[in-house]
Amino acid sequence: GRLAQLAEPTVGIITNIGSVHMEFFESHEQLARGKGELVAALPESGLAVLNADDPFFPLLSRMSTAPVMSFGFEAGDLRGEHYAAATEGGCEFTVQDVAFHLALEGRHQARNALAALAAGKFAGVGLEEGAAALANVFVAHRLQEHKTSKGVVIVDDAYNASPESMLAAFETLAERPKHGKLFAVLGPMAELGALAIESHQRVGRRAAEVFDAVAVLDSELGSVLADAAGAHLVPDREAAVMWVKNNARRGDSVLVKGSHSAGLDEVVKELTK
């Protein structure tokens, strides 16, 4: 609440209620109420932009002191339809018969675009204008591709990680046409509290389904993830680099992702220098 009081926002956007910061809350509902302090601080003349696909949408809607505009793919005032991974990269979908093509990949990024469109509509930006503005949006370190001198594609998503963003990255890569093998170098996820073990197991199980091989940076939670994924544990970042160099060949792709504290951006730098 204090941050909202300082900033005095007119528009508040809550994209979803995930698991990050659960270390500081006793339940998901408490976490949702904490995020909901943003929309509770909005003026009646403002706008709350909320994800209609999120299970906490009803709670957040009740907390808002401003009118609510919802977005989503299953429901919402601004509803995305016909989502698909674009063959030339990025993704495609429609909103009220207006076609969108994003350079960003993944359903999660398309959903973020819907939230931006809702805020834009409040500011007088129409859907066609919004489609043009969003088409070439680029976010560094979010599934950003680098090709090594050996022809291996390094997919840099190393800035941070949560269970939701891990699974979103996996699904995005699984949507792509497959060229070569798909590898992953993963780190642990922080600030999950009581959900930490289950979350690492869930992410590990899905990693085993998506990737041809996985390496995980060794730690207490890294071991949990590795066990669930049937992955190779590496003791440090240098060993992770060597694992990639020893296993990935021309045409293969390697996702690098973990919490910021894991420092996997150094793995990306070493592999792409």
Side-chain angles (χ1 to χ4, degrees):
R2 177 161 172 73
L3 287 176
Q5 289 172 359
L6 289 170
E8 296 184 346
T10 303
V11 177
I13 302 174
I14 299 178
T15 53
N16 63 62
I17 304 299
S19 303
V20 175
H21 311 309
M22 273 301 297
E23 180 180 356
F24 308 108
F25 296 89
E26 293 182 1
S27 68
H28 256 110
E29 181 175 335
Q30 275 195 1
L31 174 59
R33 288 186 179 278
K35 289 195 173 186
E37 291 176 0
L38 168 61
V39 295
L42 295 173
E44 292 182 2
S45 58
L47 181 72
V49 178
L50 300 176
N51 181 356
D53 296 340
D54 191 278
F56 288 101
F57 171 72
L59 170 65
L60 295 170
S61 296
R62 291 193 300 271
M63 291 183 69
S64 178
T65 51
V68 171
M69 182 174 290
S70 59
F71 64 92
F73 279 101
E74 306 302 323
D77 300 316
L78 278 182
R79 184 174 177 182
E81 297 181 297
H82 312 300
Y83 170 83
T87 53
E88 66 274 29
C91 66
E92 301 170 333
F93 57 95
T94 62
V95 181
Q96 297 172 11
D97 295 325
V98 176
F100 286 77
H101 184 129
L102 305 184
L104 296 172
E105 293 183 276
R107 185 180 291 266
H108 61 298
Q109 294 289 18
R111 190 175 284 112
N112 289 340
L114 293 175
L117 289 169
K121 187 174 182 180
F122 179 80
V125 178
L127 289 178
E128 291 84 359
E129 188 179 354
L134 290 168
N136 296 309
V137 169
F138 168 77
V139 183
H141 308 297
R142 290 291 193 265
L143 298 175
Q144 183 178 357
E145 292 190 0
H146 309 271
K147 186 169 282 189
T148 72
S149 59
K150 302 289 187 182
V152 175
V153 176
I154 305 300
V155 184
D156 174 13
D157 207 357
Y159 177 73
N160 218 339
S162 67
E164 292 77 19
S165 71
M166 279 277 203
L167 295 173
F170 296 176
E171 299 315 313
T172 300
L173 293 179
E175 287 177 350
R176 292 180 175 181
K178 188 155 185 183
H179 304 292
K181 290 185 176 181
L182 191 57
F183 296 94
V185 175
L186 304 177
M189 300 169 287
E191 297 185 1
L192 295 175
L195 298 179
I197 291 177
E198 184 277 330
S199 295
H200 283 80
Q201 290 172 334
R202 177 160 48 96
V203 166
R205 287 192 296 269
R206 184 57 180 146
E209 296 170 345
V210 171
F211 298 97
D212 293 289
V214 179
V216 178
L217 203 62
D218 195 7
S219 68
E220 184 177 351
L221 289 172
S223 296
V224 174
L225 198 164
D227 286 346
H232 180 73
L233 268 177
V234 291
D236 50 36
R237 292 186 289 270
E238 291 76 12
V241 170
M242 289 308 302
W243 182 85
V244 172
K245 290 182 175 180
N246 290 336
N247 288 278
R249 300 290 180 263
R250 183 174 298 276
D252 294 343
S253 297
V254 183
L255 172 68
V256 182
K257 186 167 180 63
S259 280
H260 189 66
S261 57
L264 290 181
D265 54 320
E266 295 299 324
V267 172
V268 174
K269 289 177 184 176
E270 187 64 28
L271 288 170
T272 57
K273 69 179 183 181

